[in-house]
């Protein structure tokens, strides 16, 4: 194992522990000692890679973005219709939710932090603007090739983002026992029907 790959492995070990802890304890109640214990590393090892607890959790956001970004960019770059790209997008986030809902529980914590902390605010805003831009590009392509009606792209993209986030957050609390998959598959059909140029009245 190279030194670089060993460092990447250690960082993943730390960030995986941080994710588990922020879900279980919340950011405010989490200490570097907790991260060290959960990651099976010494506190000195944690400080070798990160200067503070805050830096660990800001890096956790970067870690998600880098991992998710590879797949998201692949979806956009694939030779698929804009409708199929949006379907793949919904499926991507649904799979994350089903396989690791802790990511979205932690996201709620970071949004709460962003109200009080400028660094978390900048980080979370940057993530969402990048995701919005990705959705906008898909919709814009659909409009340009005549697959989608001439909609206000930014508003349509924001509506899609709100639907994805809202459904997943709502499903986390399982109020009515309806699965996130059922919600998202249903809303996907509604969204695509609304965007489709075929839905325009003559």
């Amino acid at each position: 194992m190279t030194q670089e790959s060993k460092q990447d492995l250690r960082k993943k070990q730390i960030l995986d522990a941080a994710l588990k802890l922020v879900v279980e304890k919340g950011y405010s109640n989490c200490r570097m000692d907790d991260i060290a214990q959960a990651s099976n590393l010494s506190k000195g090892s944690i400080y070798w890679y990160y200067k503070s607890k805050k830096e660990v959790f800001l890096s956790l956001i970067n870690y998600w973005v880098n991992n998710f970004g590879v797949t998201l960019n692949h979806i956009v770059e694939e030779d698929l219709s804009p409708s199929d790209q949006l379907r793949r997008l919904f499926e991507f986030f649904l799979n994350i939710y089903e396989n690791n809902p802790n990511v979205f529980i932690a996201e709620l914590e970071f949004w709460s932090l962003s109200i009080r902390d400028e660094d978390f605010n900048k980080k979370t805003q940057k993530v969402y603007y990048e995701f919005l831009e990705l959705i906008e590009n898909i919709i814009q392509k659909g409009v340009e090739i005549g697959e989608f009606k001439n909609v206000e792209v930014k508003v349509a993209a924001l509506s899609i983002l709100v639907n994805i986030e809202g459904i997943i957050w709502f499903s986390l609390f399982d109020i009515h026992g309806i699965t996130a998959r059922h919600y998202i598959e249903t809303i996907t059909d509604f969204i695509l029907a609304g965007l489709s140029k075929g839905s325009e009245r003559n």
Side-chain angles (χ1 to χ4, degrees):
M1 182 182 293
T2 66
Q3 184 65 24
E4 183 176 355
S5 60
K6 184 179 180 181
Q7 289 180 352
D8 289 340
L9 184 62
R10 285 285 181 269
K11 287 181 179 179
K12 183 181 185 303
Q13 201 172 339
I14 294 167
L15 296 177
D16 285 344
L19 173 59
K20 179 175 180 289
L21 287 167
V22 77
V23 170
E24 292 178 353
K25 301 167 70 74
Y27 177 81
S28 298
N29 294 323
C30 179
R31 303 169 303 160
M32 290 293 267
D33 287 326
D34 298 321
I35 298 173
Q37 183 177 0
S39 63
N40 294 316
L41 296 170
S42 68
K43 191 159 69 169
S45 295
I46 308 295
Y47 278 114
W48 177 263
Y49 296 104
Y50 301 103
K51 296 177 181 178
S52 65
K53 178 183 81 170
K54 182 176 179 178
E55 188 173 310
V56 172
F57 286 99
L58 288 172
S59 294
L60 180 57
I61 299 174
N62 285 337
Y63 178 65
W64 293 340
V65 171
N66 292 336
N67 284 334
F68 296 170
V70 173
T71 302
L72 291 173
N73 289 329
H74 181 66
I75 289 172
V76 175
E77 291 167 1
E78 277 190 310
D79 188 21
L80 298 171
S81 69
S83 292
D84 285 338
Q85 287 179 338
L86 287 179
R87 286 187 185 278
R88 290 282 300 277
L89 197 68
F90 289 137
E91 184 69 22
F92 170 72
F93 281 99
L94 179 60
N95 287 337
I96 293 173
Y97 171 77
E98 290 180 337
N99 293 322
N100 191 5
N102 281 350
V103 170
F104 295 100
I105 297 172
E107 183 188 6
L108 288 171
E109 181 79 5
F110 292 142
W111 269 118
S112 176
L113 285 168
S114 72
I115 297 172
R116 305 182 299 274
D117 188 291
E118 184 178 356
D119 292 326
F120 277 103
N121 185 277
K122 287 179 180 178
K123 185 72 69 174
T124 51
Q125 290 291 343
K126 183 175 184 294
V127 170
Y128 273 79
Y129 281 129
E130 288 178 358
F131 182 40
L132 268 176
E133 185 178 9
L134 183 145
I135 300 174
E136 288 173 15
N137 290 339
I138 294 174
I139 296 173
Q140 185 63 47
K141 178 185 174 183
V143 172
E144 290 173 356
I145 67 175
E147 182 177 347
F148 295 157
K149 66 179 72 170
N150 189 21
V151 296
E152 192 171 345
V153 172
K154 287 186 179 296
V155 173
L158 182 58
S159 298
I160 289 172
L161 177 59
V162 167
N163 272 284
I164 293 174
E165 290 285 286
I167 287 170
I168 287 175
W169 289 350
F170 188 76
S171 299
L172 283 172
F173 300 101
D174 195 29
I175 296 174
H176 298 295
I178 301 175
T179 66
R181 180 167 292 278
H182 180 71
Y183 277 125
I184 286 185
E185 287 176 349
T186 302
I187 203 67
T188 298
D189 291 336
F190 283 147
I191 289 171
L192 293 179
L195 287 172
S196 173
K197 194 153 189 183
S199 67
E200 285 183 325
R201 294 182 178 179
N202 295 326

